[in-house]
Amino acid sequence: MLAIERVASLATIQDLGRPGLLSSGVGRSGAADRGALRLGNRLVGNPEDAAGIEVVLGGMGLRALRPLTCAVTGAPVPTLLGDRMVGPASVVRVSAGQTLRLGVGSTGLRCYVAVRGGIAVPPVLGSRSFDSLARLGPRPLQAGDVVPVGPPPDDWPLIEQAPQSGPAEKLRLPVIFGPRDDWFANPLALCADWWRVSADADRVGVRLELVTGAPLRRLIARELPTEPMPLGAIQVPPSGQPVVFLADHPVTGGYPVIAVLRADAVDCLAQARPGQLLRFQA
Amino acid sequence: MSGMTLPGAAEAQRLCQCADLLRPAGDRAVLLTPSDPAHVPRLLAALRENPIAGVVDWAGAAETVLVVWESAVFTEKIRRELEILAARIQLSAAEEPSAERSMTPECLGEPVVIPVHYDGPDLVFVADHLGLEPDEVIAAHTRRIWECAFVGFAPGFGYLTSEKAESVALVVPRRRQPRTAIPAGSVALAGGYSAVYPAATPGGWQLIGRTQRRVWDVTADPPALIRAGTRVRFRQVGVG
């Protein structure tokens, strides 16, 4: 059992989501930075798809009600166990009654608390992830919540700490053009321009502002018939401000998708703070 | 498909490139863009009947189908198999254009029946807009068989279309001002579509009635009653 003592911003339970339900209009959801959750789970010896806690920016207090083994991955945040500093992406043994405190780091956006045994709330449609768009799954965590932790798995943690390189000051995100790059007069401008993450960024997607370079111009003016949207899609509405889709993106959309992030680049963008500069590369 | 030569991988790839049948959607998905939207139900049926290793999901919309997978290990093989699948549909449609348009299992059985109390707040507006009496709107809504073209907007929200040959076209605009909370079970019209709101959400469609029948249930498998290809019939209840 894990007691939530403090939540500064948004903390949600996330696993790797609920694939296979697109025909019912339900997106996969899951951790916005899947790589970070998977690493945390590996560190504590969990299956990679065990449920953990996704914390935006940090600022969280968690008290173990029985001895627990945890790891904090993703955005590097100052982490205290009692009064001792704990290194990022390392295995931490939390005694019964001890509190793990996550501060706010200077880089990155989302950190992940993996707990050996996994967060064991009841799954909804096969997953313990909170889908903020569909409003499915366990609600966001609040101070006072007590969450169950599952029994320890058979596997033991293999390593104690996983060195991680920090995010670059300017992100370079690889993309693949299409499916509707031919709806634009100057699609290559996507990769020539500098973009900035706006304040309009959440689990659904990230709106970008043009910093320098040519605005994207439409070649085909008519409306696009609604079509299914993939994770990482860069959708361009008439305003010209692209929206890049993250974990809780809508299943269908009516604006043309000029390009789609490669899978690893999605994890990278999930760590980008408002104000972050980025370029796309094909 | 007797008499049709099945295309090999190379021929399928050539055909797909010429007809622009497959478009990339990142490195873990592909958008199938058939030349004729009527091929979408055939593609969905073919995906169901011929599982491709590595594919985790697919979604159909009005004119396209997205196929997704999770590991890049499968990418090349999945693309090749989808090229063959798409090429076969394209070729078989050319050879048998009169074949059943909808071949999904949902279409082969009886339509799903949705009982409706036609007391929606916008029924009178819809009637006025169409130059009809409210009873005529109800008759037009219940007389025809609707088919779900695709699911989108919200979980379980199926966009229902009806035969264009119907004498009364139930085509109405969205409300100028959307409502902030539409009750679950509301039966609605907008554009040429009808739909049942699966859960309370904001929305701008015209509300003509309500149903007690649950079209969305997280404990059911599948959770959505209405999915692409599902046929629906509305039945008036609570009269008199």
Side-chain angles (χ1 to χ4, degrees), chain A residues 16 18-26 28 34 124-125 133-134 136 176-183 225-231 250-252 259-264, chain B residues 20 23-29 31 33 56-66 68 70 150-157 216-218 220 222-224 226-228:
Chain A
L16 294 181
R18 44 183 76 84
L21 293 167
L22 291 178
S23 65
S24 289
V26 178
R28 187 179 65 181
R34 295 166 70 83
V124 173
L125 288 175
L133 185 68
L136 278 177
I176 293 181
F177 275 102
R180 300 296 180 188
D181 49 327
D182 57 345
W183 278 55
T226 298
E227 58 189 24
M229 297 273 125
L231 176 67
V251 170
T252 56
V260 179
L261 292 185
R262 286 186 177 268
D264 294 344
Chain B
D20 195 22
R23 288 171 173 245
D27 58 354
R28 312 285 165 97
L31 189 69
T33 53
V56 300
D57 207 352
W58 58 87
E63 302 186 2
T64 52
V65 178
L66 183 76
V68 305
E70 257 162 35
F150 59 95
V151 176
F153 164 65
F157 191 96
W216 172 254
D217 181 358
V218 289
I226 298 170
R227 300 180 306 286

Side-chain angles (χ1 to χ4, degrees), chain A residues 51-169:
Chain A
I53 300 174
E54 176 180 280
V55 185
V56 176
L57 281 178
M60 194 156 179
L62 305 138
R63 191 174 77 252
L65 298 182
R66 64 168 171 81
L68 293 175
T69 301
C70 302
V72 182
T73 54
V77 298
T79 304
L80 280 172
L81 180 64
D83 55 3
R84 182 167 63 86
M85 280 289 280
V86 171
S90 57
V91 183
V92 184
R93 282 160 186 83
V94 187
S95 314
Q98 251 192 331
T99 296
L100 191 66
R101 287 185 178 83
L102 276 48
V104 178
S106 56
T107 60
L109 186 63
R110 295 178 167 94
C111 62
Y112 293 83
V113 181
V115 184
R116 185 166 165 77
I119 303 295
V121 293
V124 173
L125 288 175
S127 163
R128 298 180 167 95
S129 296
F130 173 67
D131 183 329
S132 63
L133 185 68
R135 314 305 293 184
L136 278 177
R139 62 158 173 75
L141 295 170
Q142 300 163 357
D145 286 343
V146 176
V147 289
V149 175
D154 291 335
D155 281 345
W156 285 98
L158 291 177
I159 52 175
E160 286 287 315
Q161 206 257 351
Q164 301 279 284
S165 60
E169 198 182 289

